[in-house]
Amino acid sequence: LCFRGIGENDEIKLKKCTACKSVRYCSVKCQKDHRPKRKNECKKRAAELRDELLFKHPESTHMGDCPICCLPLSHDPQKSALKVCCCTVICIGCEYANKRREFEGKFEHKCPFCRHPGPKTHEEAEGNLMRRIEVNDPSALYQMGTSRRNEGNYKSASEYLSKAAELGDATAHYNLSVMYREGEGVEKDEKKELRHLEEAAIIGHPFARHILGVTEQRKGRRNRAVKHWMIAAKLGEDDSLENVKMAYRCGLVSKEDLASALRAYQAAIDATKSPQRDEVEAACKGLGLGSRFLSNS
């Protein structure tokens, strides 16, 4: 039944309150009449529902798994490679193994995922990216938004990143939070900054969640800060783990919770390792190079 006591039938469809999800209305007038009587209750319940979503531990980071070896991708961007032909992110281990196979067999370079020949010019790579944008690929939209932002074209960057964020790209949400904080092409807006940080954290962006913890700490809400850092640490975020350790020394985290965070952190790091990935990291370290060079194809 709605606020007026009217039940749903073929002619009347009751709609839930979009904020609290706990009451239903038969019409806009019904909602307007009822709203003043339960405004505070509605806001309180909406905040509770938001926190339930915000503090739910994600199954993995926003990076997901490598589509070739099916192992979790590291949230360190230097340990993965974006293939511009299909806008698929693969791990450096699979990228390195493919390049070595091609070199030893003298094969033409192709994407190890979609098998499309690698772009030979910047214009060809740009064309591949635009084709992915035309089909609303969030990774392609994010890449174009990042490119425009680096060029200083903040208006265009905001448009591309906003579209990618609407499609669920966590890194786009994080970059938009930075733009709203710094006022890059948009007016500075703390509410929008925090909203994008929260959306990124919900999807599984460890550093966005770490920043949320820092923000809560600055506001004096230490319990909420620790909750964010605990989740981020269990996803393998280094700075959050250090903050959890500090919170333990301050008596804000129990010994059991610290041990749980340490175990989960190590498990998250170990899950992203493989012989191929370790091999390429060792090779890059020996040459004094970062693994990012592998993605330039």
Side-chain angles (χ1 to χ4, degrees), residues 50 54 149 165 170-184 186-202 205 207-216 218-219 228:
R50 181 65 177 176
L54 180 60
R149 185 181 172 207
T171 314
H173 275 298
Y174 175 74
N175 278 265
L176 284 168
S177 76
V178 175
M179 293 180 73
Y180 278 109
R181 184 184 70 224
E182 302 297 331
E184 294 178 352
V186 293
E187 290 186 15
K188 290 185 178 182
D189 191 319
E190 185 179 356
K191 287 185 178 180
K192 289 183 179 180
E193 174 198 348
L194 291 176
R195 190 70 177 185
H196 281 295
L197 278 175
E198 288 181 356
E199 291 300 324
I202 289 169
H205 197 295
F207 192 66
R209 191 170 288 280
H210 172 75
I211 296 299
L212 283 173
V214 173
T215 302
E216 294 288 8
R218 288 173 179 167
K219 293 179 178 179
H228 282 303

Side-chain angles (χ1 to χ4, degrees), residues 84 125-135 140 144 148 160:
V84 294
E126 190 91 353
N128 289 339
L129 192 62
M130 290 306 300
R131 280 191 287 275
R132 296 306 305 167
I133 288 174
E134 289 171 3
V135 295
M144 185 60 76
R148 293 291 182 263
Y160 280 112

Side-chain angles (χ1 to χ4, degrees), residues 44-295:
K44 181 181 178 182
R45 181 54 184 158
E48 290 172 352
L49 290 173
R50 181 65 177 176
D51 277 357
E52 287 178 12
L53 180 63
L54 180 60
F55 290 110
K56 182 180 179 181
H57 198 293
E59 294 181 2
S60 65
T61 72
H62 63 295
M63 295 298 293
D65 297 339
C66 172
I68 298 177
C69 66
C70 298
L71 293 175
L73 289 165
S74 170
H75 59 81
D76 181 350
Q78 294 215 0
K79 295 183 179 180
S80 59
L82 175 77
K83 310 310 295 179
V84 294
C85 47
C86 54
C87 285
T88 299
V89 178
I90 66 173
C91 72
I92 56 171
C94 292
E95 174 74 341
Y96 177 69
N98 183 59
K99 286 193 173 185
R100 185 173 62 180
R101 180 188 62 82
E102 292 172 341
F103 176 77
E104 293 175 350
K106 297 182 180 179
F107 302 130
E108 178 189 12
H109 174 59
K110 292 183 179 179
C111 170
F113 182 72
C114 71
R115 309 309 299 164
H116 190 280
K120 294 179 174 59
T121 64
H122 175 73
E123 289 72 21
E124 186 179 350
E126 190 91 353
N128 289 339
L129 192 62
M130 290 306 300
R131 280 191 287 275
R132 296 306 305 167
I133 288 174
E134 289 171 3
V135 295
N136 286 330
D137 187 313
S139 294
L141 289 161
Y142 164 71
Q143 289 299 322
M144 185 60 76
T146 300
S147 177
R148 293 291 182 263
R149 185 181 172 207
N150 291 337
E151 294 168 0
N153 187 348
Y154 296 124
K155 181 180 179 181
S156 179
S158 177
E159 292 173 356
Y160 280 112
L161 290 174
S162 294
K163 182 62 175 178
E166 288 174 9
L167 294 170
D169 191 286
T171 314
H173 275 298
Y174 175 74
N175 278 265
L176 284 168
S177 76
V178 175
M179 293 180 73
Y180 278 109
R181 184 184 70 224
E182 302 297 331
E184 294 178 352
V186 293
E187 290 186 15
K188 290 185 178 182
D189 191 319
E190 185 179 356
K191 287 185 178 180
K192 289 183 179 180
E193 174 198 348
L194 291 176
R195 190 70 177 185
H196 281 295
L197 278 175
E198 288 181 356
E199 291 300 324
I202 289 169
I203 298 170
H205 197 295
F207 192 66
R209 191 170 288 280
H210 172 75
I211 296 299
L212 283 173
V214 173
T215 302
E216 294 288 8
Q217 182 191 40
R218 288 173 179 167
K219 293 179 178 179
R221 300 190 289 208
R222 295 184 295 178
N223 289 337
R224 290 177 66 87
V226 169
K227 283 184 180 180
H228 282 303
W229 291 331
M230 284 288 291
I231 295 173
K234 289 180 178 181
L235 291 173
E237 212 288 312
D238 297 337
D239 292 334
S240 290
L241 182 64
E242 292 305 312
N243 284 358
V244 169
K245 293 177 182 178
M246 178 182 65
Y248 169 71
R249 292 192 291 269
C250 294
L252 298 174
V253 172
S254 69
K255 185 176 181 180
E256 292 75 16
D257 286 341
L258 174 62
S260 174
L262 289 169
R263 287 193 298 268
Y265 169 85
Q266 194 58 53
I269 297 299
D270 290 343
T272 64
K273 293 182 178 181
S274 72
Q276 292 83 2
R277 297 180 189 186
D278 292 342
E279 182 181 353
V280 67
E281 287 193 56
C284 291
K285 186 176 181 180
L287 294 172
L289 300 171
S291 52
R292 171 55 64 187
F293 82 97
L294 285 172
S295 64

